[in-house]
Amino acid sequence: MEYFSADLFIPCGGRPGTINIGNVDKTMFNPETKELKFKYVVEGANLFLTDDARRYLEDAGVQLFKDASTNKGGVTSSSMEVFAALCMDTADHDKFLCSRDETSAPPEFYEQYVQEILAAVRHNAKMEFNGIWKTNHEVKYPDGSRYIRKTDATILLSKKINDMQSYILGVLEEHDPENDWMVRAVLRRCVPRLLLVHCGLDKIVENTPEAYLNAMVATWIADEFVYSNGLQTSEFAFFQFMRSLEEKSEGEVTPSTM
């Protein structure tokens, strides 16, 4: 790195804290001109930079996106693979999502599901980016000194989403029948359409462990609400969000065609 510069730097490996506040000047700035070597840093490797090094680079003018935000596509794709295995009958999963042997082409259903995964990754990435960008341009630190850095926007958004997920999970674990509409309404929105059409919602609920479904529901609600409303939101805004969801879900049926 001492001899290279580029518009975009995507670290995809290395030990945790490879770039830290002690060596960031040497590794990320030209030693002669003291100019930045990279305009954009999008972290592909977890923990490659320390948070203090990230903040230092942002203050110097780098557009930096933290690992916890940029690696969510992998989490999305792997969780959707697991979910398909859980909600489908074993025979169906083997028939529609597995190749017969190493030389066989993947089933058409598999190819369609890959496209659903890619669409979900793009959707989630867009929400994450917009949430970070909005926070970075509209929300200041409590002392009012400056707008929140993108590094800290990732941390704060994640905390707000995680806190809301925990709260919603607690509500769902009470098994109140009054919440059944919410579970089914959210599943119609977060379960890939291909699986809804193929399995039907009732079969998905029957096959998938309740804890997994509850986590999906809590995650979808928290993500959609926080990304739509940002960090500076209120309990009343959440009430309106849930009331809107309930109104839209009235009379809904599970799709039967693609």
Side-chain angles (χ1 to χ4, degrees):
M1 288 179 58
E2 184 176 351
Y3 305 102
F4 294 95
S5 63
D7 287 337
L8 173 64
F9 175 43
I10 305 177
C12 294
R15 296 180 61 81
T18 295
I19 296 177
N20 53 67
I21 199 64
N23 64 17
V24 65
D25 279 312
K26 180 179 179 180
T27 54
M28 302 296 283
F29 291 80
N30 186 298
E32 296 179 358
T33 65
K34 306 303 180 184
E35 294 179 348
L36 284 163
K37 294 181 180 180
F38 310 102
K39 297 177 182 178
Y40 306 93
V41 175
V42 179
E43 296 185 64
N46 284 325
L47 307 175
F48 187 76
L49 287 85
T50 59
D51 279 340
D52 51 5
R54 294 181 178 113
R55 295 184 183 104
Y56 186 86
L57 289 170
E58 283 200 62
D59 291 347
V62 175
Q63 297 289 341
L64 185 146
F65 291 91
K66 181 175 161 64
D67 51 5
S69 291
T70 58
N71 288 334
K72 285 189 174 181
V75 176
T76 299
S77 61
S78 60
S79 65
M80 290 179 70
E81 288 183 65
V82 170
F83 178 65
L86 290 173
C87 75
M88 296 177 74
D89 293 332
T90 301
D92 267 4
H93 182 271
D94 291 347
K95 177 180 179 181
F96 292 107
L97 284 177
C98 299
S99 297
R100 292 190 302 274
D101 52 56
E102 293 182 358
T103 61
S104 300
E108 181 181 356
F109 188 96
Y110 172 91
E111 300 287 2
Q112 292 176 331
Y113 195 55
V114 167
Q115 294 306 311
E116 293 236 27
I117 291 174
L118 290 173
V121 170
R122 294 187 187 104
H123 172 73
N124 293 345
K126 185 176 182 179
M127 288 201 303
E128 179 79 7
F129 175 83
N130 288 340
I132 292 170
W133 198 258
K134 180 181 177 69
T135 302
N136 178 239
H137 285 74
E138 298 181 8
V139 184
K140 290 188 175 182
Y141 287 101
D143 63 6
S145 59
R146 56 164 294 162
Y147 289 109
I148 291 175
R149 299 176 183 88
K150 290 185 286 296
T151 292
D152 293 320
T154 289
I155 295 170
L156 293 170
L157 286 167
S158 293
K159 183 180 186 307
K160 193 169 187 69
I161 289 170
N162 290 338
D163 288 347
M164 181 160 284
Q165 285 174 346
S166 297
Y167 170 76
I168 297 167
L169 278 173
V171 171
L172 294 174
E173 287 168 0
E174 294 174 0
H175 298 98
D176 186 343
E178 292 290 325
N179 293 324
D180 288 349
W181 72 267
M182 175 176 64
V183 173
R184 299 182 78 84
V186 171
L187 290 177
R188 289 191 191 98
R189 287 159 173 77
C190 70
V191 171
R193 188 179 182 91
L194 187 66
L195 294 180
L196 282 174
V197 171
H198 180 80
C199 302
L201 186 56
D202 290 338
K203 176 64 71 173
I204 289 171
V205 171
E206 177 185 337
N207 285 352
T208 310
E210 181 184 53
Y212 199 95
L213 292 178
N214 286 347
M216 289 177 62
V217 171
T219 298
W220 185 90
I221 293 174
D223 284 352
E224 292 291 328
F225 176 72
V226 172
Y227 286 131
S228 298
N229 292 272
L231 291 175
Q232 296 177 320
T233 188
S234 65
E235 288 82 358
F236 183 68
F238 185 64
F239 165 76
Q240 290 180 308
F241 175 85
M242 294 304 297
R243 185 173 67 175
S244 175
L245 175 63
E246 185 174 14
E247 290 173 351
K248 291 176 182 177
S249 70
E250 291 178 1
E252 276 186 341
V253 295
T254 303
S256 57
T257 62
M258 289 299 292

